[in-house]
Amino acid sequence: MTRWAPHSFKNQATEEGLSADDVARFALQYENAAKMGVAPLLSLMHLAQSCGVCYDFLRGCCERETHVRFRNRIVTPYRTFSINKRSGGKRFISVPSEDLMAAQDWIYRLILKSQPCHARAFAYQPGRSIADCAAIHMGCRWLIKLDIASFFESITEKQVYGVFLGIGYAPLVSLELARLCTRVDAVSKKRKEGPKWKVKRRTMLGKIPCYLQESLGYLPQGAPTSPALSNLVARKMDEALDHVATDAGFEYSRYSDDMYFSSSLPTTTKSEALHLARRASVVIASAGFDLNRSKTMIAGPGQRRLVLGLLVDGNRLRLSPEQRRRIEWHYRHCLVDPAKHAEKKEFRSISGLKHHLGGLLAYARAVDSDFVTKLEATPISWPV
């Protein structure tokens, strides 16, 4: 990141003919960026020059063009494919084009990475893990789990705009950053017709007619900016949920779309747990999210208390029998024939299966390293 040199900037800007008002306004934005620890941005052109991506391409993305023409070629900003969910149904992944990926990566590294999320949000945080999230609830007697439906896709362009505006960027720059980090979906009837997704204010957009759109964009799974933005958008919700939990004598943590509340008090009753779940539901709805009510769970004494697949009802974290069997099953099949197993489980490639199994082993190693060491005593022969 370029060091902020106020005197040099003001002198050069004045020499190039900028008005005193413009110099003061731009200097204020640089000062604010320096205080927030983020890269200064004065315009979309400034962003294009900073991240090394063609301005015409970024402008096309901000205008929501489905096919952007630049450098004598036509580029589709996103490539979308689906993967099967373990719980059934499909999960849609939107992979940015090379140019958009470069811009989003720059936005993540020089803007979003330094912004703090809530202390009880554990997903997508360097140095924080599933085990850290589960440890909050270790030794609990009552456990409540709530799940947000379509977490990333529920986050609107307007909410993302609010994140960048809150960091201190000018309204137009915040809008353009939000456009580059979200996408529109003409297929989804809910996003096409739902009032949440309608553009209500056009005051600033009217200055740039090409930016006018009927529907708001959403946060796509697959963009490098989406995880950090989801945590920043959810920060106020996390604060409210943490307050609700503390007020009731419970602990709170969130890992992406999974929220957990727990109590170790011997006096806690089921009715109190139900009351907390209802209060939390109101907070979640007011933040603009929908609960996946089929995944709501309340477990008390005598029942298994699981957080992200880890047992938390004792004085140490433990892998559930189902998780152990699942990991062992994948590992054994990979020992026999990785290619056949990848094809059977519909992985896009053997490397995808290898990455998936590596994630499962890392997850298990954080809780039960002996279990993983025993498995890996017989190494898998992955095809070159």
Side-chain angles (χ1 to χ4, degrees), residues 249-287:
F250 280 66
E251 296 292 341
Y252 165 71
S253 72
R254 180 177 62 82
Y255 197 92
S256 188
D257 55 355
D258 293 323
M259 294 158 292
Y260 295 90
F261 304 82
S262 66
S263 171
S264 61
L265 298 174
T267 55
T268 299
T269 64
K270 186 174 183 177
S271 63
E272 289 174 330
L274 286 167
H275 180 64
L276 183 141
R278 285 192 289 268
R279 289 184 64 192
S281 298
V282 172
V283 171
I284 293 165
S286 66

Side-chain angles (χ1 to χ4, degrees), residues 43-111:
S43 65
L44 187 64
M45 178 62 79
H46 190 187
L47 172 61
Q49 294 170 345
S50 298
C51 66
V53 177
C54 177
Y55 168 82
D56 290 340
F57 173 76
L58 295 183
R59 181 63 183 259
C61 291
C62 290
E63 293 175 5
R64 297 300 195 198
E65 294 182 8
T66 55
H67 295 81
V68 182
R69 181 185 293 275
F70 77 109
R71 292 177 182 168
N72 297 319
R73 62 192 176 105
I74 297 176
V75 176
T76 302
Y78 289 93
R79 175 178 60 87
T80 301
F81 62 90
S82 64
I83 58 176
N84 293 325
K85 292 183 179 180
R86 285 179 57 203
S87 57
K90 300 281 187 181
R91 186 187 308 279
F92 292 94
I93 308 298
S94 299
V95 180
S97 68
E98 181 180 351
D99 299 279
L100 184 55
M101 178 73 80
Q104 290 177 344
D105 182 65
W106 187 93
I107 292 168
Y108 169 70
R109 289 184 295 103
L110 295 179
I111 298 176

Side-chain angles (χ1 to χ4, degrees), residues 29-231:
Q29 291 184 34
Y30 267 86
E31 290 281 2
N32 180 71
K35 290 175 183 176
M36 295 294 290
V38 299
L41 284 178
L42 305 180
S43 65
L44 187 64
M45 178 62 79
H46 190 187
L47 172 61
Q49 294 170 345
S50 298
C51 66
V53 177
C54 177
Y55 168 82
D56 290 340
F57 173 76
L58 295 183
R59 181 63 183 259
C61 291
C62 290
E63 293 175 5
R64 297 300 195 198
E65 294 182 8
T66 55
H67 295 81
V68 182
R69 181 185 293 275
F70 77 109
R71 292 177 182 168
N72 297 319
R73 62 192 176 105
I74 297 176
V75 176
T76 302
Y78 289 93
R79 175 178 60 87
T80 301
F81 62 90
S82 64
I83 58 176
N84 293 325
K85 292 183 179 180
R86 285 179 57 203
S87 57
K90 300 281 187 181
R91 186 187 308 279
F92 292 94
I93 308 298
S94 299
V95 180
S97 68
E98 181 180 351
D99 299 279
L100 184 55
M101 178 73 80
Q104 290 177 344
D105 182 65
W106 187 93
I107 292 168
Y108 169 70
R109 289 184 295 103
L110 295 179
I111 298 176
L112 300 174
K113 189 177 181 180
S114 63
Q115 301 307 298
C117 65
H118 193 270
R120 291 299 176 94
F122 288 86
Y124 322 122
Q125 296 294 300
R128 310 192 91 185
S129 66
I130 285 173
D132 295 326
C133 182
I136 295 291
H137 309 284
M138 198 162 57
C140 66
R141 292 169 58 84
W142 284 93
L143 180 69
I144 302 167
K145 178 195 173 186
L146 301 177
D147 180 273
I148 294 175
S150 303
F151 180 48
F152 278 20
E153 293 87 346
S154 295
I155 296 173
T156 70
E157 171 191 330
K158 181 179 178 181
Q159 291 171 299
V160 175
Y161 166 80
V163 168
F164 289 115
L165 197 66
I167 291 172
Y169 291 110
L172 180 56
V173 171
S174 296
L175 170 68
E176 290 167 333
L177 288 170
R179 287 279 172 93
L180 293 174
C181 294
T182 58
R183 67 167 304 188
V184 290
D185 182 2
V187 177
S188 172
K189 182 177 180 181
K190 181 178 179 180
R191 279 192 283 269
K192 188 176 181 181
E193 300 179 358
K196 171 181 175 179
W197 301 96
K198 295 295 182 183
V199 176
K200 296 181 177 65
R201 293 186 61 187
R202 296 172 177 266
T203 306
M204 182 177 62
L205 292 173
K207 298 177 182 178
I208 306 179
C210 291
Y211 282 5
L212 291 173
Q213 297 289 324
E214 293 297 323
S215 301
L216 295 170
Y218 67 93
L219 212 56
Q221 289 200 53
T225 46
S226 292
L229 282 168
S230 71
N231 276 337

Side-chain angles (χ1 to χ4, degrees), residues 272-346:
E272 289 174 330
L274 286 167
H275 180 64
L276 183 141
R278 285 192 289 268
R279 289 184 64 192
S281 298
V282 172
V283 171
I284 293 165
S286 66
F289 296 107
D290 296 322
L291 279 180
N292 187 341
R293 297 192 180 277
S294 66
K295 293 186 177 181
T296 296
M297 178 274 299
I298 299 178
Q303 297 174 294
R304 289 203 317 170
R305 275 90 77 196
L306 283 167
V307 174
L308 301 165
L310 301 177
L311 288 162
V312 296
D313 49 8
N315 57 7
R316 65 182 181 87
L317 298 176
R318 292 172 291 135
L319 290 171
S320 68
E322 295 85 355
Q323 286 285 10
R324 291 172 69 96
R325 285 195 294 269
R326 177 175 169 235
I327 294 170
E328 286 176 334
W329 182 80
H330 275 298
Y331 201 91
R332 302 299 180 198
H333 278 79
C334 288
L335 284 174
V336 176
D337 191 338
K340 184 178 179 180
H341 187 54
E343 182 180 358
K344 181 180 179 180
K345 299 307 295 179
E346 297 182 351

